[in-house]
């Protein structure tokens, strides 16, 4: 990771800035939010969507290629203040953001294991929704639910090295959690 990017991230956390994180080398979604955790390998944002807070996203620090402070003008700061966004930022109850193992342990303990996982590998891209069943030093295993709300019979194995994004605690995941039997 470029030192300038890490410094910008640390400064944004210190100042509780609304920040966008870009990953130009990957064909994946970029995220905007407030930094809640900076670990050895991961950064966690409380996501912002249409001026409201919406769950969390964990991204590998090494994937970030560019940052942009969103609240660097008076008007956006006025909205953030008026909507009490920065006052309502709450770090997730996790041990830390140093590794996927610690992140997944926290998601299991605090969010019932519900998450989405986005992967990029030489074989292509993938998106998985469901609950963590177990993990080891190289893989995360999950019970996956499909777009129709049906649980897959087989356990899904995801190599940690292929994970580029993990989301949890947001409206999308919580709605699935509510309606999947």
């Amino acid at each position: 990771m470029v030192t300038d990017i890490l410094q910008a991230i640390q400064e944004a956390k210190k100042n509780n800035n609304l920040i966008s994180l870009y990953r130009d080398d990957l064909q994946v979604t970029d995220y905007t939010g407030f930094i809640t955790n900076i670990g050895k390998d991961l950064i966690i944002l409380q996501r912002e969507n249409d001026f409201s807070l919406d769950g969390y996203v964990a991204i590998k620090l090494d994937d970030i290629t560019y940052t942009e402070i969103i609240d660097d003008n008076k008007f956006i700061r006025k909205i953030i203040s008026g909507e009490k966004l920065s006052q309502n930022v709450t770090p997730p109850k996790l041990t830390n953001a140093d590794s996927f193992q610690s992140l997944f342990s926290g998601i299991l303990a605090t969010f019932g294991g519900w998450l989405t996982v986005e992967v990029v590998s030489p074989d292509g891209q993938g998106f998985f929704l469901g609950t963590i069943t177990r993990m080891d030093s190289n893989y995360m295993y999950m019970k996956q639910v499909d777009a129709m709300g049906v649980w897959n019979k087989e356990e899904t194995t995801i190599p940690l090295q292929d994970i580029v994004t993990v989301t949890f605690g947001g409206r999308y995941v919580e709605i699935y959690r509510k309606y999947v039997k």
Side-chain angles (χ1 to χ4, degrees):
M1 158 168 283
V2 179
T3 306
D4 293 346
I5 291 174
L6 184 56
Q7 288 174 337
I9 288 169
Q10 290 169 335
E11 190 72 17
K13 182 176 185 335
K14 178 180 151 196
N15 295 328
N16 205 24
N17 288 118
L18 182 61
I19 189 171
S20 285
L21 303 177
Y22 300 95
R23 300 173 288 174
D24 295 337
D25 298 337
L26 300 171
Q27 298 296 316
V28 295
T29 303
D30 299 312
Y31 285 94
T32 300
F34 295 91
I35 299 168
T36 62
N37 305 72
I38 303 170
K40 186 177 66 113
D41 294 330
L42 303 172
I43 182 170
I44 299 175
L45 294 179
Q46 186 159 18
R47 296 184 309 174
E48 177 273 338
N49 185 24
D50 295 334
F51 299 111
S52 63
L53 300 174
D54 185 20
Y56 303 92
V57 61
I59 297 170
K60 289 194 284 190
L61 280 166
D62 286 341
D63 289 344
I64 299 168
T65 56
Y66 181 72
T67 65
E68 178 183 13
I69 301 298
I70 303 301
D71 59 353
D72 65 349
N73 68 67
K74 283 184 179 182
F75 182 68
I76 299 298
R77 281 195 303 271
K78 180 180 178 179
I79 293 172
I80 289 171
S81 175
E83 295 299 310
K84 297 180 177 31
L85 290 184
S86 57
Q87 298 95 308
N88 292 326
V89 171
T90 308
K93 293 178 179 153
L94 304 171
T95 54
N96 61 51
D98 284 340
S99 68
F100 281 120
Q101 286 88 352
S102 62
L103 174 71
F104 294 145
S105 292
I107 293 171
L108 270 168
T110 309
F111 297 92
W114 277 89
L115 75 168
T116 70
V117 178
E118 188 174 16
V119 299
V120 174
S121 72
D123 297 332
Q125 292 183 239
F127 178 84
F128 307 96
L129 168 68
T131 60
I132 301 166
T133 55
R134 60 192 171 101
M135 60 197 137
D136 61 33
S137 59
N138 296 312
Y139 299 96
M140 188 268 285
Y141 305 88
M142 70 184 299
K143 184 137 174 99
Q144 185 183 350
V145 65
D146 68 18
M148 303 301 285
V150 177
W151 290 104
N152 288 358
K153 292 180 194 233
E154 304 282 323
E155 187 176 62
T156 302
T157 303
I158 301 172
L160 297 180
Q161 69 185 20
D162 295 346
I163 298 173
V164 294
T165 310
V166 174
T167 69
F168 55 99
R171 183 169 167 73
Y172 183 81
V173 172
E174 292 302 315
I175 294 289
Y176 260 86
R177 182 179 183 178
K178 180 178 176 181
Y179 288 98
V180 170
K181 303 280 183 222

